[in-house]
Amino acid sequence: MSDEQNSVSDILEDNTYKYGFTTDVESETFAKGLNEDVVRAISKKKNEPQFMLDFRLKAFAKWKTMKVPEWPNVHYPPIDFQNISYYSAPKQKKVLNSLDEVDPEVMRTFEKLGIPLDEQKKLANVAVDAVFDSVSVATTHKKKLMEVGIIFCSFSEALQEYPELIEEYIGSVVPVGDNYYAALNSAVFTDGSFVYIPPDTISPMEISTYFRINTEETGQFERTLIICAENSYVSYLEGCTAPQFDTNQLHAAVVELVTLENAEIKYSTVQNWYAGDKETGKGGIYNFVTKRGKCQGDGSKISWTQVETGSAITWKYPSCLLLGDNTTGEFYSVALTNGHMQADTGTKMIHVGKNTRSSIISKGISADYSSNSYRGQVKVGKNATNARNYSQCDSMLVGDKSSAHTFPYIETANSSVQVEHEAATSKISEDQLFYFESRGISRENAIEAVISGFCKEVFKQLPMEFAVEAQKLLTLKLEDSVG
Amino acid sequence: MLEIKDLHAGFDGNEIIKGISLSIKKGEIHAVMGPNGSGKSTMAKILSGHPAYQAMSGEILFDGKNLLEMDAEERSLAGIFMGFQYPVEVPGVNNAEFLRMAHNARRVKAGEEEIDPLDFDDLLSEKMKMLGMEKKYKERNLNDGFSGGEKKKNEILQMAILEPKLSILDETDSGLDIDALRVVSEGVNKLHNENNALILITHYQRLLDYIKPDFVHVLSNGKIVKSGDKSLALELESQGYDWVTTAN
């Protein structure tokens, strides 16, 4: 590790998974297994208020009665939930007064990932919460945000400092028993990020969380809660990587967003978890995530943008619950699968309020032996007069061994609604690449041009630097697959 | 400029070109004619470096360099341009942006700086004006939804931007109505000068009413069976291909 300081683009230069290293830090890890005592122990370890323990126990009781969902178009051997450790934290002093007290190995890990955390090198206009295995290790720019009243801290800290906010909102968007993995997360989550934007505030910078799984047999169960009060705005970014192991690691996160009247949350993800060996399919992350936003106040808006390029299996449907009148939900997604990856991803747009609008732009790219499914639900309730939805789901196939599937579900209980669905499948072909080459354009630039053209509508939603990196990431992953 | 020596070539091990020799100097226009299946398109593909086609023996020298050892990208950068019979559609990639990429690849190769988008726009506008092309060619995506004629015009626009030493136009006249044929040929004529050369691959002689070749070669069953000047094309037109192919 020494003093390497790779930028994200340096890391991307070579076509192997560069994030596949592990960091040697002393950590405190619970013995494998899951029972009520483990749930209590996690809560105790984190010195949580009673309501949080009650929430966990309720979730755990619910989880025990539930079954692993079998409807997604993905296939994997049953997970042994007793063979996972539910808590792993880098050992450190109890209270960190400054970043200097974070284990230098952990700091270097994030630096190597292109996420400098120390005060001198912090990313200029992005506040970062870095989550290492189960716990948040550092949050930058806190003071600057606090000056305008924005709370941005780890979930554990929020539980100590702002328990009333957590109690009011946790589980209000994703109830404890929502689905199998959400219930599991609700019982055993260890940390995550908390953001509160007070009324009439535009966040002066992008806020982001960077997730890193380091330990082989630990599950990562983090929780993100973002509340955006009246007339406020925040843009939130999320990035993820993990080391390369032959075994599969489970990542089961829950993200809850709440917007009050006229507020807007823009949530962007670039997911690059280790996807397993390209040839054998061995190893990789199981990414079973529940993300949901609730447009509670009238005129509010939630926009999800995701670029999914990693994980052995992705099972993820960032959704919007459009409760208030005149609320807007958006979903922009690029999901790339290659090697033996399987993705079943999409969204749910639930229209409850009047004049609610939603749009879905989904771009699936499948290469090699991978399988890529879009699954989307548009549901319009009987009171959602004049609701409108527009969905566009495009698939691009690379090579002839991959597959793409589209599963749209549309349900409307109101006759004044307008729902449009468009879908198209295309191929990135050898002929297209030859055409570019015969004009003196390299194969690499040709792939980049075709892919970024295909994903244009999604990339333009991403913050600038993220869009550039996302484009490079996709090109790099596809270079070996075309032809 | 181009020297083809006893070339045998084809694809999947099938020999389609069965011994062709041809020498092209700068400033010249050569027409290669022949019936369907005579090997015209294979010849175009071999020259452009299409990976599915292989030379079995013989050689091709371009400015003294072994062309068969160069891939399509290198050939283009060396100054060869292929005008495709069926230009491929690339949705999502803006035509002007594509042209700028191609132009910049040449500049980088020559050790020059990349052109910025505004300067390129001026260059593009100038070329489009010269060719009498409408503004839509800048705005649309690369050949996406273009008619046959529009695609061929777009090939000529690319030729104008890339300023190649040798252009091979494969059945550029096929599928064109008379107006489009005129626009395309006028463009080709404007771009031709004493420093570059042209190979026109065509089935019909009508293209040669607009672009006057210095030499006409008739291809049949993978060989050049007759070479001559412009009058050979007219003779073919009146007598049909049987006249040369059966004589062989």
PDB file of all heavy atoms in Angstrom, chain A residues 8 12 269-271 306-309 334 336 448 451-452 455 458-459 462-477:
ATOM      1  N   VAL A   8      -9.011   8.033  -9.218  1.00  0.00           N
ATOM      2  CA  VAL A   8      -9.965   7.039  -9.693  1.00  0.00           C
ATOM      3  C   VAL A   8      -9.617   6.609 -11.115  1.00  0.00           C
ATOM      4  O   VAL A   8      -9.661   5.437 -11.462  1.00  0.00           O
ATOM      5  CB  VAL A   8     -11.410   7.573  -9.613  1.00  0.00           C
ATOM      6  CG1 VAL A   8     -12.379   6.554 -10.188  1.00  0.00           C
ATOM      7  CG2 VAL A   8     -11.774   7.850  -8.169  1.00  0.00           C
ATOM      8  N   LEU A  12      -8.653   2.926 -12.774  1.00  0.00           N
ATOM      9  CA  LEU A  12      -9.432   2.337 -13.855  1.00  0.00           C
ATOM     10  C   LEU A  12      -8.588   1.919 -15.054  1.00  0.00           C
ATOM     11  O   LEU A  12      -9.065   1.229 -15.933  1.00  0.00           O
ATOM     12  CB  LEU A  12     -10.483   3.333 -14.337  1.00  0.00           C
ATOM     13  CG  LEU A  12     -11.599   3.615 -13.348  1.00  0.00           C
ATOM     14  CD1 LEU A  12     -12.561   4.614 -13.925  1.00  0.00           C
ATOM     15  CD2 LEU A  12     -12.329   2.334 -12.995  1.00  0.00           C
ATOM     16  N   THR A 269     -26.028   6.792  -7.446  1.00  0.00           N
ATOM     17  CA  THR A 269     -25.178   5.676  -7.023  1.00  0.00           C
ATOM     18  C   THR A 269     -24.289   5.220  -8.168  1.00  0.00           C
ATOM     19  O   THR A 269     -24.769   5.066  -9.288  1.00  0.00           O
ATOM     20  CB  THR A 269     -26.054   4.451  -6.668  1.00  0.00           C
ATOM     21  OG1 THR A 269     -27.012   4.844  -5.696  1.00  0.00           O
ATOM     22  CG2 THR A 269     -25.225   3.304  -6.125  1.00  0.00           C
ATOM     23  N   VAL A 270     -23.002   5.012  -7.879  1.00  0.00           N
ATOM     24  CA  VAL A 270     -22.178   4.261  -8.814  1.00  0.00           C
ATOM     25  C   VAL A 270     -21.721   3.027  -8.060  1.00  0.00           C
ATOM     26  O   VAL A 270     -20.957   3.120  -7.102  1.00  0.00           O
ATOM     27  CB  VAL A 270     -20.976   5.063  -9.351  1.00  0.00           C
ATOM     28  CG1 VAL A 270     -20.060   4.174 -10.179  1.00  0.00           C
ATOM     29  CG2 VAL A 270     -21.459   6.224 -10.207  1.00  0.00           C
ATOM     30  N   GLN A 271     -22.257   1.895  -8.415  1.00  0.00           N
ATOM     31  CA  GLN A 271     -22.012   0.672  -7.675  1.00  0.00           C
ATOM     32  C   GLN A 271     -20.999  -0.181  -8.432  1.00  0.00           C
ATOM     33  O   GLN A 271     -21.228  -0.569  -9.570  1.00  0.00           O
ATOM     34  CB  GLN A 271     -23.346  -0.059  -7.499  1.00  0.00           C
ATOM     35  CG  GLN A 271     -23.276  -1.311  -6.642  1.00  0.00           C
ATOM     36  CD  GLN A 271     -23.139  -2.561  -7.477  1.00  0.00           C
ATOM     37  OE1 GLN A 271     -22.079  -3.173  -7.551  1.00  0.00           O
ATOM     38  NE2 GLN A 271     -24.214  -2.946  -8.118  1.00  0.00           N
ATOM     39  N   GLN A 306     -28.887   5.560 -10.935  1.00  0.00           N
ATOM     40  CA  GLN A 306     -27.946   4.514 -10.554  1.00  0.00           C
ATOM     41  C   GLN A 306     -27.154   4.007 -11.748  1.00  0.00           C
ATOM     42  O   GLN A 306     -27.660   3.886 -12.848  1.00  0.00           O
ATOM     43  CB  GLN A 306     -28.668   3.348  -9.861  1.00  0.00           C
ATOM     44  CG  GLN A 306     -29.742   2.679 -10.719  1.00  0.00           C
ATOM     45  CD  GLN A 306     -30.269   1.389 -10.089  1.00  0.00           C
ATOM     46  OE1 GLN A 306     -30.109   1.146  -8.901  1.00  0.00           O
ATOM     47  NE2 GLN A 306     -30.900   0.547 -10.893  1.00  0.00           N
ATOM     48  N   VAL A 307     -25.876   3.759 -11.509  1.00  0.00           N
ATOM     49  CA  VAL A 307     -25.044   3.091 -12.495  1.00  0.00           C
ATOM     50  C   VAL A 307     -24.534   1.841 -11.799  1.00  0.00           C
ATOM     51  O   VAL A 307     -23.728   1.909 -10.882  1.00  0.00           O
ATOM     52  CB  VAL A 307     -23.883   3.992 -12.958  1.00  0.00           C
ATOM     53  CG1 VAL A 307     -22.995   3.248 -13.942  1.00  0.00           C
ATOM     54  CG2 VAL A 307     -24.421   5.261 -13.600  1.00  0.00           C
ATOM     55  N   GLU A 308     -25.075   0.715 -12.199  1.00  0.00           N
ATOM     56  CA  GLU A 308     -24.769  -0.547 -11.539  1.00  0.00           C
ATOM     57  C   GLU A 308     -23.795  -1.316 -12.407  1.00  0.00           C
ATOM     58  O   GLU A 308     -24.147  -1.739 -13.508  1.00  0.00           O
ATOM     59  CB  GLU A 308     -26.052  -1.379 -11.387  1.00  0.00           C
ATOM     60  CG  GLU A 308     -27.159  -0.707 -10.589  1.00  0.00           C
ATOM     61  CD  GLU A 308     -26.860  -0.721  -9.110  1.00  0.00           C
ATOM     62  OE1 GLU A 308     -26.502  -1.791  -8.580  1.00  0.00           O
ATOM     63  OE2 GLU A 308     -26.967   0.352  -8.472  1.00  0.00           O
ATOM     64  N   THR A 309     -22.571  -1.470 -11.950  1.00  0.00           N
ATOM     65  CA  THR A 309     -21.606  -2.170 -12.799  1.00  0.00           C
ATOM     66  C   THR A 309     -21.015  -3.395 -12.128  1.00  0.00           C
ATOM     67  O   THR A 309     -20.247  -4.122 -12.727  1.00  0.00           O
ATOM     68  CB  THR A 309     -20.428  -1.254 -13.186  1.00  0.00           C
ATOM     69  OG1 THR A 309     -19.640  -1.020 -12.012  1.00  0.00           O
ATOM     70  CG2 THR A 309     -20.895   0.056 -13.757  1.00  0.00           C
ATOM     71  N   VAL A 334     -28.561   2.761 -15.336  1.00  0.00           N
ATOM     72  CA  VAL A 334     -27.751   1.988 -16.274  1.00  0.00           C
ATOM     73  C   VAL A 334     -27.296   0.763 -15.498  1.00  0.00           C
ATOM     74  O   VAL A 334     -26.705   0.895 -14.420  1.00  0.00           O
ATOM     75  CB  VAL A 334     -26.511   2.765 -16.751  1.00  0.00           C
ATOM     76  CG1 VAL A 334     -25.562   1.837 -17.501  1.00  0.00           C
ATOM     77  CG2 VAL A 334     -26.915   3.921 -17.645  1.00  0.00           C
ATOM     78  N   LEU A 336     -25.066  -2.603 -15.969  1.00  0.00           N
ATOM     79  CA  LEU A 336     -24.208  -3.374 -16.859  1.00  0.00           C
ATOM     80  C   LEU A 336     -23.905  -4.710 -16.201  1.00  0.00           C
ATOM     81  O   LEU A 336     -23.554  -4.773 -15.027  1.00  0.00           O
ATOM     82  CB  LEU A 336     -22.900  -2.628 -17.113  1.00  0.00           C
ATOM     83  CG  LEU A 336     -21.887  -3.431 -17.937  1.00  0.00           C
ATOM     84  CD1 LEU A 336     -21.261  -2.541 -18.991  1.00  0.00           C
ATOM     85  CD2 LEU A 336     -20.798  -4.025 -17.083  1.00  0.00           C
ATOM     86  N   GLU A 448     -16.647   3.358 -26.109  1.00  0.00           N
ATOM     87  CA  GLU A 448     -17.044   4.439 -25.207  1.00  0.00           C
ATOM     88  C   GLU A 448     -18.127   5.319 -25.842  1.00  0.00           C
ATOM     89  O   GLU A 448     -19.104   5.691 -25.203  1.00  0.00           O
ATOM     90  CB  GLU A 448     -15.819   5.277 -24.846  1.00  0.00           C
ATOM     91  CG  GLU A 448     -16.150   6.330 -23.809  1.00  0.00           C
ATOM     92  CD  GLU A 448     -14.914   6.931 -23.146  1.00  0.00           C
ATOM     93  OE1 GLU A 448     -13.878   6.243 -23.080  1.00  0.00           O
ATOM     94  OE2 GLU A 448     -15.016   8.075 -22.708  1.00  0.00           O
ATOM     95  N   ILE A 451     -21.504   3.268 -26.068  1.00  0.00           N
ATOM     96  CA  ILE A 451     -22.100   3.086 -24.746  1.00  0.00           C
ATOM     97  C   ILE A 451     -22.588   4.413 -24.172  1.00  0.00           C
ATOM     98  O   ILE A 451     -23.698   4.507 -23.649  1.00  0.00           O
ATOM     99  CB  ILE A 451     -21.080   2.435 -23.776  1.00  0.00           C
ATOM    100  CG1 ILE A 451     -20.801   0.997 -24.191  1.00  0.00           C
ATOM    101  CG2 ILE A 451     -21.541   2.500 -22.334  1.00  0.00           C
ATOM    102  CD1 ILE A 451     -22.000   0.086 -24.100  1.00  0.00           C
ATOM    103  N   SER A 452     -21.770   5.451 -24.296  1.00  0.00           N
ATOM    104  CA  SER A 452     -22.226   6.696 -23.700  1.00  0.00           C
ATOM    105  C   SER A 452     -23.398   7.255 -24.490  1.00  0.00           C
ATOM    106  O   SER A 452     -24.260   7.920 -23.922  1.00  0.00           O
ATOM    107  CB  SER A 452     -21.098   7.709 -23.512  1.00  0.00           C
ATOM    108  OG  SER A 452     -20.545   8.040 -24.737  1.00  0.00           O
ATOM    109  N   CYS A 455     -26.373   5.409 -23.131  1.00  0.00           N
ATOM    110  CA  CYS A 455     -26.706   5.760 -21.747  1.00  0.00           C
ATOM    111  C   CYS A 455     -26.866   7.263 -21.532  1.00  0.00           C
ATOM    112  O   CYS A 455     -27.008   7.713 -20.399  1.00  0.00           O
ATOM    113  CB  CYS A 455     -25.618   5.263 -20.803  1.00  0.00           C
ATOM    114  SG  CYS A 455     -25.322   3.504 -20.926  1.00  0.00           S
ATOM    115  N   VAL A 458     -29.187   8.894 -19.038  1.00  0.00           N
ATOM    116  CA  VAL A 458     -28.931   8.614 -17.626  1.00  0.00           C
ATOM    117  C   VAL A 458     -27.693   9.388 -17.168  1.00  0.00           C
ATOM    118  O   VAL A 458     -27.705  10.038 -16.122  1.00  0.00           O
ATOM    119  CB  VAL A 458     -28.750   7.103 -17.383  1.00  0.00           C
ATOM    120  CG1 VAL A 458     -28.400   6.832 -15.920  1.00  0.00           C
ATOM    121  CG2 VAL A 458     -30.016   6.352 -17.777  1.00  0.00           C
ATOM    122  N   PHE A 459     -26.623   9.328 -17.975  1.00  0.00           N
ATOM    123  CA  PHE A 459     -25.385  10.004 -17.585  1.00  0.00           C
ATOM    124  C   PHE A 459     -25.583  11.495 -17.353  1.00  0.00           C
ATOM    125  O   PHE A 459     -24.954  12.077 -16.488  1.00  0.00           O
ATOM    126  CB  PHE A 459     -24.298   9.790 -18.644  1.00  0.00           C
ATOM    127  CG  PHE A 459     -23.688   8.422 -18.581  1.00  0.00           C
ATOM    128  CD1 PHE A 459     -22.923   7.947 -19.630  1.00  0.00           C
ATOM    129  CD2 PHE A 459     -23.876   7.607 -17.479  1.00  0.00           C
ATOM    130  CE1 PHE A 459     -22.351   6.687 -19.582  1.00  0.00           C
ATOM    131  CE2 PHE A 459     -23.317   6.339 -17.422  1.00  0.00           C
ATOM    132  CZ  PHE A 459     -22.547   5.882 -18.484  1.00  0.00           C
ATOM    133  N   LEU A 462     -26.187  12.527 -13.859  1.00  0.00           N
ATOM    134  CA  LEU A 462     -25.158  12.392 -12.826  1.00  0.00           C
ATOM    135  C   LEU A 462     -24.355  13.674 -12.690  1.00  0.00           C
ATOM    136  O   LEU A 462     -24.148  14.383 -13.665  1.00  0.00           O
ATOM    137  CB  LEU A 462     -24.181  11.270 -13.204  1.00  0.00           C
ATOM    138  CG  LEU A 462     -24.644   9.833 -13.095  1.00  0.00           C
ATOM    139  CD1 LEU A 462     -23.598   8.912 -13.699  1.00  0.00           C
ATOM    140  CD2 LEU A 462     -24.887   9.449 -11.646  1.00  0.00           C
ATOM    141  N   PRO A 463     -23.855  13.940 -11.460  1.00  0.00           N
ATOM    142  CA  PRO A 463     -22.918  15.057 -11.324  1.00  0.00           C
ATOM    143  C   PRO A 463     -21.723  14.824 -12.256  1.00  0.00           C
ATOM    144  O   PRO A 463     -21.302  13.682 -12.468  1.00  0.00           O
ATOM    145  CB  PRO A 463     -22.477  14.971  -9.865  1.00  0.00           C
ATOM    146  CG  PRO A 463     -23.543  14.182  -9.181  1.00  0.00           C
ATOM    147  CD  PRO A 463     -24.123  13.258 -10.205  1.00  0.00           C
ATOM    148  N   MET A 464     -21.214  15.896 -12.810  1.00  0.00           N
ATOM    149  CA  MET A 464     -20.165  15.860 -13.828  1.00  0.00           C
ATOM    150  C   MET A 464     -19.062  14.809 -13.633  1.00  0.00           C
ATOM    151  O   MET A 464     -18.866  13.949 -14.472  1.00  0.00           O
ATOM    152  CB  MET A 464     -19.574  17.270 -13.920  1.00  0.00           C
ATOM    153  CG  MET A 464     -18.595  17.449 -15.033  1.00  0.00           C
ATOM    154  SD  MET A 464     -19.369  17.245 -16.656  1.00  0.00           S
ATOM    155  CE  MET A 464     -18.052  17.881 -17.662  1.00  0.00           C
ATOM    156  N   GLU A 465     -18.339  14.860 -12.504  1.00  0.00           N
ATOM    157  CA  GLU A 465     -17.180  13.974 -12.330  1.00  0.00           C
ATOM    158  C   GLU A 465     -17.642  12.512 -12.290  1.00  0.00           C
ATOM    159  O   GLU A 465     -16.969  11.617 -12.791  1.00  0.00           O
ATOM    160  CB  GLU A 465     -16.394  14.252 -11.036  1.00  0.00           C
ATOM    161  CG  GLU A 465     -16.115  15.696 -10.718  1.00  0.00           C
ATOM    162  CD  GLU A 465     -17.314  16.394 -10.134  1.00  0.00           C
ATOM    163  OE1 GLU A 465     -17.830  15.931  -9.103  1.00  0.00           O
ATOM    164  OE2 GLU A 465     -17.770  17.410 -10.698  1.00  0.00           O
ATOM    165  N   PHE A 466     -18.785  12.310 -11.682  1.00  0.00           N
ATOM    166  CA  PHE A 466     -19.354  10.969 -11.593  1.00  0.00           C
ATOM    167  C   PHE A 466     -19.667  10.434 -12.988  1.00  0.00           C
ATOM    168  O   PHE A 466     -19.425   9.275 -13.289  1.00  0.00           O
ATOM    169  CB  PHE A 466     -20.650  11.033 -10.775  1.00  0.00           C
ATOM    170  CG  PHE A 466     -20.564  10.330  -9.452  1.00  0.00           C
ATOM    171  CD1 PHE A 466     -19.461  10.517  -8.636  1.00  0.00           C
ATOM    172  CD2 PHE A 466     -21.589   9.507  -9.011  1.00  0.00           C
ATOM    173  CE1 PHE A 466     -19.390   9.882  -7.413  1.00  0.00           C
ATOM    174  CE2 PHE A 466     -21.524   8.862  -7.783  1.00  0.00           C
ATOM    175  CZ  PHE A 466     -20.424   9.050  -6.984  1.00  0.00           C
ATOM    176  N   ALA A 467     -20.174  11.297 -13.843  1.00  0.00           N
ATOM    177  CA  ALA A 467     -20.565  10.880 -15.197  1.00  0.00           C
ATOM    178  C   ALA A 467     -19.333  10.437 -15.980  1.00  0.00           C
ATOM    179  O   ALA A 467     -19.350   9.409 -16.657  1.00  0.00           O
ATOM    180  CB  ALA A 467     -21.271  12.028 -15.913  1.00  0.00           C
ATOM    181  N   VAL A 468     -18.252  11.192 -15.854  1.00  0.00           N
ATOM    182  CA  VAL A 468     -17.020  10.856 -16.567  1.00  0.00           C
ATOM    183  C   VAL A 468     -16.491   9.502 -16.098  1.00  0.00           C
ATOM    184  O   VAL A 468     -16.152   8.631 -16.889  1.00  0.00           O
ATOM    185  CB  VAL A 468     -15.959  11.963 -16.362  1.00  0.00           C
ATOM    186  CG1 VAL A 468     -14.621  11.549 -16.958  1.00  0.00           C
ATOM    187  CG2 VAL A 468     -16.442  13.270 -16.967  1.00  0.00           C
ATOM    188  N   GLU A 469     -16.464   9.318 -14.771  1.00  0.00           N
ATOM    189  CA  GLU A 469     -15.960   8.064 -14.220  1.00  0.00           C
ATOM    190  C   GLU A 469     -16.855   6.890 -14.613  1.00  0.00           C
ATOM    191  O   GLU A 469     -16.378   5.817 -14.945  1.00  0.00           O
ATOM    192  CB  GLU A 469     -15.850   8.139 -12.693  1.00  0.00           C
ATOM    193  CG  GLU A 469     -14.841   9.148 -12.179  1.00  0.00           C
ATOM    194  CD  GLU A 469     -13.461   9.023 -12.807  1.00  0.00           C
ATOM    195  OE1 GLU A 469     -13.090   7.915 -13.264  1.00  0.00           O
ATOM    196  OE2 GLU A 469     -12.752  10.031 -12.879  1.00  0.00           O
ATOM    197  N   ALA A 470     -18.156   7.125 -14.580  1.00  0.00           N
ATOM    198  CA  ALA A 470     -19.098   6.052 -14.894  1.00  0.00           C
ATOM    199  C   ALA A 470     -18.895   5.590 -16.335  1.00  0.00           C
ATOM    200  O   ALA A 470     -18.892   4.394 -16.632  1.00  0.00           O
ATOM    201  CB  ALA A 470     -20.531   6.535 -14.690  1.00  0.00           C
ATOM    202  N   GLN A 471     -18.692   6.546 -17.215  1.00  0.00           N
ATOM    203  CA  GLN A 471     -18.484   6.246 -18.628  1.00  0.00           C
ATOM    204  C   GLN A 471     -17.222   5.400 -18.819  1.00  0.00           C
ATOM    205  O   GLN A 471     -17.228   4.419 -19.534  1.00  0.00           O
ATOM    206  CB  GLN A 471     -18.336   7.573 -19.346  1.00  0.00           C
ATOM    207  CG  GLN A 471     -18.570   7.515 -20.808  1.00  0.00           C
ATOM    208  CD  GLN A 471     -18.849   8.919 -21.319  1.00  0.00           C
ATOM    209  OE1 GLN A 471     -19.675   9.651 -20.756  1.00  0.00           O
ATOM    210  NE2 GLN A 471     -18.147   9.327 -22.345  1.00  0.00           N
ATOM    211  N   LYS A 472     -16.146   5.793 -18.127  1.00  0.00           N
ATOM    212  CA  LYS A 472     -14.885   5.056 -18.230  1.00  0.00           C
ATOM    213  C   LYS A 472     -15.046   3.639 -17.699  1.00  0.00           C
ATOM    214  O   LYS A 472     -14.545   2.681 -18.275  1.00  0.00           O
ATOM    215  CB  LYS A 472     -13.805   5.756 -17.404  1.00  0.00           C
ATOM    216  CG  LYS A 472     -13.164   6.908 -18.127  1.00  0.00           C
ATOM    217  CD  LYS A 472     -11.899   7.309 -17.385  1.00  0.00           C
ATOM    218  CE  LYS A 472     -11.443   8.675 -17.833  1.00  0.00           C
ATOM    219  NZ  LYS A 472     -10.951   9.473 -16.729  1.00  0.00           N
ATOM    220  N   LEU A 473     -15.760   3.559 -16.578  1.00  0.00           N
ATOM    221  CA  LEU A 473     -15.963   2.273 -15.927  1.00  0.00           C
ATOM    222  C   LEU A 473     -16.677   1.299 -16.858  1.00  0.00           C
ATOM    223  O   LEU A 473     -16.281   0.144 -17.004  1.00  0.00           O
ATOM    224  CB  LEU A 473     -16.797   2.525 -14.661  1.00  0.00           C
ATOM    225  CG  LEU A 473     -16.940   1.421 -13.649  1.00  0.00           C
ATOM    226  CD1 LEU A 473     -15.577   1.051 -13.098  1.00  0.00           C
ATOM    227  CD2 LEU A 473     -17.830   1.885 -12.496  1.00  0.00           C
ATOM    228  N   LEU A 474     -17.716   1.774 -17.524  1.00  0.00           N
ATOM    229  CA  LEU A 474     -18.475   0.912 -18.429  1.00  0.00           C
ATOM    230  C   LEU A 474     -17.612   0.469 -19.612  1.00  0.00           C
ATOM    231  O   LEU A 474     -17.613  -0.698 -19.991  1.00  0.00           O
ATOM    232  CB  LEU A 474     -19.710   1.641 -18.959  1.00  0.00           C
ATOM    233  CG  LEU A 474     -20.801   1.973 -17.949  1.00  0.00           C
ATOM    234  CD1 LEU A 474     -21.970   2.626 -18.654  1.00  0.00           C
ATOM    235  CD2 LEU A 474     -21.277   0.733 -17.226  1.00  0.00           C
ATOM    236  N   THR A 475     -16.865   1.411 -20.177  1.00  0.00           N
ATOM    237  CA  THR A 475     -16.022   1.093 -21.334  1.00  0.00           C
ATOM    238  C   THR A 475     -15.040   0.005 -20.978  1.00  0.00           C
ATOM    239  O   THR A 475     -14.861  -0.983 -21.691  1.00  0.00           O
ATOM    240  CB  THR A 475     -15.241   2.355 -21.759  1.00  0.00           C
ATOM    241  OG1 THR A 475     -16.165   3.394 -21.957  1.00  0.00           O
ATOM    242  CG2 THR A 475     -14.472   2.108 -23.038  1.00  0.00           C
ATOM    243  N   LEU A 476     -14.410   0.212 -19.823  1.00  0.00           N
ATOM    244  CA  LEU A 476     -13.409  -0.718 -19.351  1.00  0.00           C
ATOM    245  C   LEU A 476     -13.963  -2.119 -19.158  1.00  0.00           C
ATOM    246  O   LEU A 476     -13.355  -3.117 -19.509  1.00  0.00           O
ATOM    247  CB  LEU A 476     -12.987  -0.167 -17.998  1.00  0.00           C
ATOM    248  CG  LEU A 476     -11.709  -0.629 -17.450  1.00  0.00           C
ATOM    249  CD1 LEU A 476     -10.754   0.538 -17.559  1.00  0.00           C
ATOM    250  CD2 LEU A 476     -11.907  -0.951 -16.000  1.00  0.00           C
ATOM    251  N   LYS A 477     -15.170  -2.177 -18.618  1.00  0.00           N
ATOM    252  CA  LYS A 477     -15.768  -3.483 -18.344  1.00  0.00           C
ATOM    253  C   LYS A 477     -16.166  -4.183 -19.628  1.00  0.00           C
ATOM    254  O   LYS A 477     -16.298  -5.397 -19.663  1.00  0.00           O
ATOM    255  CB  LYS A 477     -16.993  -3.323 -17.453  1.00  0.00           C
ATOM    256  CG  LYS A 477     -16.620  -2.778 -16.095  1.00  0.00           C
ATOM    257  CD  LYS A 477     -17.389  -3.461 -14.998  1.00  0.00           C
ATOM    258  CE  LYS A 477     -16.730  -3.110 -13.667  1.00  0.00           C
ATOM    259  NZ  LYS A 477     -17.197  -3.918 -12.574  1.00  0.00           N
TER     260      LYS A 477
END
